[in-house]
Amino acid sequence: MLLLKKLRDHRDEIVALHQIKNFDSSTIIDEILTIDDERRKSQKTSDDLKANQNQLAKQIGDLMKQGKKAEAELLKSEVAQLKEQSKNMDDEIAALMANIDRLVLTMPNIPGSSVPAGRTAQDNLTVYKNYTDLPVLPAHAMPHWDLAAKYRLIDWELGVKITGAGFPVYIGKGARLQRALINYFLDKALAAGYTEIQPPIVVNEQSGFGTGQLPDKEGQMYFVNEDGFYLIPTAEVPITNIYRDHIFKADELPVKMMGYTPCFRREAGSYGKDVRGLNRLHQFDKVEIVQFQTPEKSWETLEEMRHYVAGLLHELGLPFRTLLLCGGDMSFTSSMTYDMEVYAAAQQRWLEVSSVSNFQSFQAIRLNCRLKAEDGTNYVHTLNGSALALPRIVASILENNQTPDGIKIPEVLVPYTGFDFIN
RNA sequence: GGAGAGAUGCCUGAGAGGCCGAAAGGAACAGUUUGCUAAACUGUCGUACGGGUAACUGUACCGCGGGUUCGAAUCCCGCUCUCUCCGCCA
């Protein structure tokens, strides 16, 4: 959510930056500002009326004490009138504000100055890659879903039986590989200074709103009707909401938190080879890193976080690239996003395994999470990133590390898996 | 699931129709003092939205939403949440 004051003070700048996101905000901002002018006028009127009422109420009190009943009654009727007027005014103000809120909520975050313009994923900028030539597998190489079945790592049909498509059952070394990855990611994040969190994996509506999943992405989350809870699509939601309605002191920042959770996504409308195997699931595991940072340092922190994630992929020895998303491919809430994609050599596809974003104050405003500064209160900046999402990592390991005899486990994981080969 | 109690500022906690944006203590911050640590003393110590170049000033907020009243943190109604006891239970 963007701040009204910012819209007023930097109107043209914001309109220009929104162009990069292919969003035309000029008319919306003007409409908002017009409504807000009206709101301010109405508020002045209402405030004055109320000030008047307050004063009269005091006078009435004094008159009553002095026993001047008649005079008091006279003032009472005057107050009644004022009250009616201010009440009408307040209704008007409420309507105006609701209108403003509704409009403000339709505006996406403002992209950072280095975000490239563009419409689709084609326009994303590859800012880093860790390979010179992509691996080429022999003709008999298998995609991960076949490998997973062959070595009994994942039972797809069983998942369908228990729940439905997109809920695979990991078995034996498949399950142990998952657990190894989780522990490896957690240990690395811990060493990088993040505090480990085990949050609830269902959240209330306010939390969903705070991080920006609600209201727009309502249909993407599983909903527990009876209690009004949402299953989290990412640990970002509960972890970021830890500091909803909180005011930080500057020396408390940055706050670095991380956690492992299962994630649930309805993925309505997905189909085809996008959803084959582990490529896209309804339930998957992820370790997420989250930071709260001062506005001055958030860009620096974004770089730090994406380098951290890249480091993990390096250690796993998977071919990957880092993309700087163009305006059109960025999420509604993000100000700048790096995506990390690993290569799955059998499918010959790139799979997104991490998305690292700086939200600036966009989430913080919704969260009402602020920073106490010398010159008043300000909003903090929030950032987060996957570090990492498991299924596609597993897919990439299986496909890239396959040999005729089995699958080689990346060296860094061996202490966690307890085995170095799957056959 | 049943019964009861409660929700006040960063925390503890008073406040029971006007003198309350709210006592007191603690924490925090600034200053004074003391040889350091510490202590003592003094001061500061909520947020939002308006008006004003500014000094300053208006309004709202005591869980949330209504109501009564000239006037509500205080009375009434509804909701939410928390705690305690009972039941069930990993």
Side-chain angles (χ1 to χ4, degrees):
Chain A
M1 192 157 76
L2 299 175
L3 230 43
L4 216 58
K5 196 162 42 171
K6 200 164 177 180
L7 296 182
R8 208 181 295 134
D9 296 346
H10 304 280
R11 189 238 175 228
D12 294 340
E13 197 183 327
I14 291 169
V15 169
L17 284 166
H18 268 147
Q19 295 297 336
I20 293 173
K21 264 192 163 172
N22 308 313
F23 185 84
D24 178 17
S25 55
S26 57
T27 46
I28 298 180
I29 295 183
D30 291 344
E31 195 180 345
I32 289 171
L33 294 182
T34 307
I35 299 173
D36 190 47
D37 283 344
E38 207 175 320
R39 191 216 100 223
R40 287 155 91 178
K41 260 184 234 150
S42 299
Q43 189 177 331
K44 175 85 176 106
T45 311
S46 167
D47 283 358
D48 289 347
L49 286 169
K50 282 179 192 157
N52 221 328
Q53 286 171 46
N54 288 341
Q55 204 148 34
L56 287 177
K58 264 192 192 119
Q59 286 180 30
I60 292 169
D62 290 342
L63 290 174
M64 300 283 251
K65 258 179 229 157
Q66 293 165 33
K68 299 180 180 169
K69 268 233 154 138
E71 286 177 54
E73 287 305 322
L74 218 71
L75 290 183
K76 275 192 196 181
S77 62
E78 195 174 332
V79 169
Q81 270 184 30
L82 291 173
K83 196 172 176 180
E84 171 134 7
Q85 285 176 40
S86 66
K87 210 161 201 173
N88 288 339
M89 213 32 103
D90 285 348
D91 288 346
E92 204 177 304
I93 292 169
L96 291 170
M97 281 174 83
N99 219 341
I100 290 172
D101 284 348
R102 185 180 55 78
L103 289 169
V104 169
L105 242 29
T106 63
M107 279 200 290
N109 200 356
I110 302 164
S113 55
S114 43
V115 169
R119 296 219 153 251
T120 67
Q122 306 293 319
D123 303 315
N124 294 337
L125 229 63
T126 303
V127 293
Y128 180 81
K129 52 183 187 176
N130 75 333
Y131 58 89
T132 39
D133 295 305
L134 284 173
V136 178
L137 298 179
H140 62 264
M142 286 190 255
H144 70 268
W145 49 87
D146 288 337
L147 292 164
K150 177 177 175 186
Y151 297 112
R152 257 195 85 61
L153 303 174
I154 297 169
D155 193 324
W156 308 100
E157 287 72 29
L158 198 50
V160 172
K161 173 185 173 184
I162 297 171
T163 307
F167 294 90
V169 177
Y170 303 87
I171 296 172
K173 282 186 175 172
R176 289 164 67 193
L177 177 58
Q178 294 266 118
R179 180 154 59 90
L181 281 166
I182 292 164
N183 283 328
Y184 165 67
F185 292 146
L186 288 174
D187 282 354
K188 293 295 285 187
L190 190 67
Y194 290 90
T195 302
E196 185 169 349
I197 306 286
Q198 283 192 16
I201 60 173
V202 293
V203 295
N204 57 30
E205 190 183 337
Q206 277 175 295
S207 293
F209 177 81
T211 34
Q213 278 71 23
L214 295 174
D216 355 317
K217 291 193 202 129
E218 173 140 41
Q220 280 295 344
M221 289 189 286
Y222 288 99
F223 182 60
V224 183
N225 195 35
E226 210 163 24
D227 300 291
F229 293 149
Y230 294 88
L231 272 62
I232 59 169
T234 159
E236 162 195 350
V237 180
I239 292 180
T240 309
N241 272 282
I242 288 174
Y243 288 106
R244 172 150 45 83
D245 293 322
H246 187 259
I247 301 181
F248 283 106
K249 291 181 195 131
D251 62 3
E252 293 172 325
L253 297 175
V255 169
K256 302 171 73 174
M257 295 177 294
M258 55 91 172
Y260 152 73
T261 66
C263 303
F264 302 90
R265 298 186 183 179
R266 294 189 60 229
E267 300 292 359
S270 301
Y271 65 94
K273 61 180 190 281
D274 279 355
V275 302
R276 198 78 202 269
L278 294 169
N279 288 354
R280 172 161 280 138
L281 301 171
H282 289 308
Q283 177 182 334
F284 65 95
D285 294 301
K286 181 159 65 65
V287 172
E288 182 82 2
I289 53 176
V290 175
Q291 290 207 37
F292 287 76
Q293 183 58 283
T294 60
E296 297 75 41
K297 291 197 186 138
S298 69
W299 290 121
E300 196 181 309
T301 300
L302 178 67
E303 294 304 310
E304 170 206 313
M305 288 171 76
R306 73 120 158 160
H307 287 301
Y308 168 76
V309 175
L312 298 175
L313 292 166
H314 268 295
E315 284 203 5
L316 289 169
L318 300 171
F320 78 94
R321 62 184 186 185
T322 303
L323 306 177
L324 174 56
L325 297 194
C326 72
D329 205 26
M330 254 196 307
S331 75
F332 183 80
T333 48
S334 175
S335 190
M336 179 149 141
T337 298
Y338 290 106
D339 271 8
M340 316 279 162
E341 297 186 337
V342 295
Y343 190 65
Q347 298 181 71
Q348 297 177 34
R349 279 170 62 107
W350 288 99
L351 303 176
E352 181 191 328
V353 290
S354 178
S355 198
V356 184
S357 301
N358 183 0
F359 301 96
Q360 302 267 82
S361 56
F362 197 82
Q363 286 184 329
I365 292 167
R366 289 168 159 248
L367 289 162
N368 192 26
C369 175
R370 289 166 293 174
L371 174 63
K372 190 140 206 154
E374 308 258 320
D375 53 344
T377 15
N378 211 336
Y379 286 94
V380 303
H381 282 190
T382 61
L383 303 99
N384 67 48
S386 348
L388 289 157
L390 295 228
R392 294 171 184 167
I393 292 288
V394 171
S396 178
I397 290 174
L398 296 185
E399 294 190 16
N400 296 350
N401 294 10
Q402 64 180 302
T403 70
D405 306 319
I407 291 148
K408 213 179 156 325
I409 298 296
E411 224 170 276
V412 288
L413 289 181
V414 174
Y416 291 92
T417 51
F419 53 85
D420 61 3
F421 205 69
I422 294 172
N423 56 17

